[in-house]
Amino acid sequence: MIPAMAQKIPVCFVNVVQLLSENNYRIYLFHLFCVLAFQYLLLPVAVPALAKWLLVTFLGFSGALLISFVLRKSYLIRKII
């Protein structure tokens, strides 16, 4: 029997959690490269450090998820990773 609290979890939240759990290792592998690339690109930009941190955090995670999703579609790479 499913607890009452678990029955109230929205379907979209479950889909996001499932997407993240299917790609967690690949996100782990590629997030460092994405974060470093975005930090390097934002180095000459004159904005507050907090804004850069928020932007790099969002873009780094999104970039790693996108790379993970694209590589997951490749048959050969899916077998390796």
Side-chain angles (χ1 to χ4, degrees):
M1 184 169 158
I2 299 174
M5 184 179 278
Q7 292 176 352
K8 296 179 183 180
I9 297 175
V11 174
C12 62
F13 180 74
V14 172
N15 290 341
V16 169
V17 170
Q18 183 178 5
L19 175 72
L20 292 175
S21 68
E22 290 172 352
N23 293 298
N24 64 359
Y25 183 65
R26 286 174 286 278
I27 291 172
Y28 170 74
L29 286 177
F30 298 116
H31 84 279
L32 178 63
F33 302 111
C34 292
V35 167
L36 289 175
F38 288 122
Q39 284 178 343
Y40 182 73
L41 289 174
L42 288 175
L43 195 59
V45 178
V47 295
L50 180 61
K52 283 185 182 182
W53 177 77
L54 289 172
L55 192 59
V56 167
T57 299
F58 177 74
L59 291 175
F61 177 74
S62 300
L65 184 61
L66 180 66
I67 291 171
S68 169
F69 185 74
V70 169
L71 291 179
R72 192 163 187 243
K73 298 296 180 182
S74 169
Y75 176 76
L76 179 62
I77 294 176
R78 186 179 44 206
K79 291 291 185 183
I80 295 169
I81 298 180

